[in-house]
Amino acid sequence: MRAWGAGQVTIKKRGVNIDPARLRRAILPKPAGDAHITLACTRVGARHVALRLDPVED
């Protein structure tokens, strides 16, 4: 998160049993910049994965 300059993280979850607030505190204990990062936590087969989502510009 620091490398991306994350200051705020939004966590979306699909098919995983996690607490988004707890995960947010674990991966971003203090802001590292001004960027707003969105992560999608999901499963691919039996593996849990996190995907960084970027907005699509028209």
Side-chain angles (χ1 to χ4, degrees):
M1 293 296 148
R2 291 176 201 253
W4 292 329
Q8 182 179 1
V9 178
T10 299
I11 299 173
K12 305 288 186 178
K13 63 181 202 131
R14 300 290 181 266
V16 293
N17 187 20
I18 62 165
D19 177 9
R22 185 174 177 185
L23 178 59
R24 186 178 304 107
R25 286 190 304 270
I27 62 176
L28 189 68
K30 23 184 193 172
D34 294 330
H36 181 184
I37 306 295
T38 302
L39 295 178
C41 297
T42 189
R43 293 186 322 189
V44 176
R47 294 180 55 208
H48 289 87
V49 297
L51 306 168
R52 178 182 169 182
L53 306 177
D54 291 320
V56 176
E57 298 181 25
D58 293 332

